[in-house]
Amino acid sequence: MRSEMRRKARRERTSFPESDWPHLWILSPSCSPRLLDGFGAKLHPSADWGEGVYFMAKFLKTALIAINQLPVTEDTLWLRVLGKRGTQKQAINELVALPQQNPYRQTILQILANWRITINESDNLSEQDRELLMNLSPAYLKWQEETLEQGKREGIQEGRLEGRLEGQRQMAENFLRVRFGELDPELASTIAPMLQLPPQELTRLLFNLEREELLLWFDNLPIQDDTSKQEAVERFLRVRFGELDPELASAIAPMLQLPPQELTPLLITLSREQLLERFTLKPNDQ
């Protein structure tokens, strides 16, 4: 990153002083005394920095953040939800207890709820995954409760709430805005086709696809060559359905015969079974 910024400054014929160099922040659930000593990381002498933030030597431009040592304040809440065990559990309870008018509360609740949904869909949960599910549950339940209440206020029946396009649209917009820093017009144009997917599949794609991949599949960007097209199809299917099993992989070659503008809506709207039915070669086709 520093090299890229230096080259940009050179191209624009501007200065790039050391004070503008990017700083590396390493987040860790905890930091042992041995770890801190090994990296020479120490608390900042300034009163502006509290407990839990350890700076390495000046020229390294790096700091270690021990999440479990951060003071319990609202300022540190957004980092403490990334901790483990009791630290994370307490932070999530604090988040749920925040007033609803807090500008960050609803967005973070949505992200944590989506995080829980994604983990819960995994086939082989580790002990750490199960603990994380338990920690995330209060945020998920509170998000679900408030979403249902909002739906009732708007006169929408509970049974139809999950599939409500407006609710999905709001979730997708908030998630993209938080994940990528902004919701520019190019990214916003991908939301309408995204809403054709079931909520669970949409959540998985929002978590796993990069900005360029979202634009590729939901804004019909051109694919440069056959190799990149195959890789893009493979990754999209893997993220959408959780895996790329041999049966689904065998359907990719027929898919690649279609131009992107025809293939894209099929990949977005068809279920796994429908894709297999359409693209699996029959004996008389071979």
Side-chain angles (χ1 to χ4, degrees):
M1 184 180 293
R2 188 181 302 167
S3 298
E4 289 176 4
M5 295 174 72
R6 186 179 289 113
R7 286 192 292 269
K8 183 172 184 258
R10 192 178 297 119
R11 287 195 304 270
E12 298 176 354
R13 299 188 177 184
T14 58
S15 62
F16 183 45
E18 185 179 335
S19 58
D20 291 344
W21 289 7
H23 204 101
L24 175 62
W25 302 91
I26 301 175
L27 306 180
S28 177
S30 62
C31 291
S32 66
R34 177 179 176 275
L35 183 75
L36 296 172
D37 183 65
F39 284 109
K42 300 178 181 179
L43 293 173
H44 200 280
S46 169
D48 295 336
W49 297 96
E51 293 292 323
V53 184
Y54 297 89
F55 290 83
M56 296 186 193
K58 179 180 178 181
F59 289 168
L60 292 178
K61 293 278 186 178
T62 300
L64 282 165
I65 298 180
I67 294 177
N68 66 330
Q69 298 180 28
L70 293 173
V72 180
T73 67
E74 188 174 322
D75 289 335
T76 67
L77 176 57
W78 322 108
L79 289 177
R80 289 186 287 115
V81 295
L82 300 176
K84 285 186 177 180
R85 301 183 179 88
T87 300
Q88 183 183 57
K89 185 176 181 181
Q90 178 180 347
I92 289 176
N93 288 337
E94 291 175 37
L95 172 65
V96 170
L98 286 175
Q100 290 195 20
Q101 60 268 29
N102 184 284
Y104 305 113
R105 178 182 180 276
Q106 187 60 26
T107 298
I108 302 299
L109 278 178
Q110 282 186 334
I111 291 175
L112 295 181
N114 290 335
W115 188 8
R116 186 189 185 282
I117 291 170
T118 300
I119 294 172
N120 197 42
E121 290 178 354
S122 301
D123 293 330
N124 300 313
L125 294 178
S126 65
E127 192 63 34
Q128 186 175 357
D129 290 333
R130 293 189 182 90
E131 181 182 344
L132 182 55
L133 279 176
M134 291 184 63
N135 282 351
L136 293 174
S137 290
Y140 172 76
L141 293 173
K142 178 57 70 172
W143 170 79
Q144 187 181 55
E145 173 191 332
E146 292 179 0
T147 305
L148 287 170
E149 288 177 356
Q150 180 183 357
K152 290 176 182 177
R153 288 196 301 269
E154 295 173 2
I156 299 172
Q157 295 178 356
E158 282 188 36
R160 298 173 52 198
L161 184 63
E162 187 176 3
R164 186 167 58 99
L165 286 180
E166 188 55 37
Q168 282 187 265
R169 176 183 294 277
Q170 187 65 44
M171 183 274 288
E173 287 179 355
N174 287 342
F175 193 94
L176 292 173
R177 190 175 289 110
V178 170
R179 184 172 177 203
F180 299 111
E182 63 174 344
L183 186 62
D184 56 76
E186 194 175 28
L187 202 53
S189 68
T190 67
I191 293 176
M194 283 184 193
L195 300 183
Q196 300 178 57
L197 290 171
Q200 289 186 343
E201 292 181 11
L202 174 59
T203 299
R204 188 184 295 115
L205 292 174
L206 288 173
F207 262 103
N208 290 283
L209 293 185
E210 298 300 326
R211 184 181 187 279
E212 292 72 20
E213 292 173 314
L214 289 170
L215 291 174
L216 172 66
W217 291 116
F218 296 105
D219 201 26
N220 293 318
L221 291 183
I223 302 176
Q224 299 301 320
D225 53 52
D226 289 342
T227 301
S228 61
K229 183 178 177 182
Q230 178 170 343
E231 292 175 350
V233 172
E234 289 177 352
R235 173 152 171 76
F236 188 89
L237 292 174
R238 188 177 290 110
V239 171
R240 183 181 172 192
F241 299 114
E243 63 174 347
L244 184 61
D245 57 79
E247 192 176 20
L248 198 55
S250 67
I252 292 177
M255 291 180 190
L256 299 179
Q257 304 304 311
L258 293 178
Q261 61 269 26
E262 292 182 26
L263 177 59
T264 297
L266 297 178
L267 287 174
I268 293 173
T269 58
L270 296 186
S271 67
R272 180 183 180 279
E273 290 69 26
Q274 290 171 322
L275 286 171
L276 289 174
E277 181 179 356
R278 174 157 186 156
F279 292 106
T280 299
L281 292 174
K282 307 297 188 296
N284 57 347
D285 296 331
Q286 298 177 357

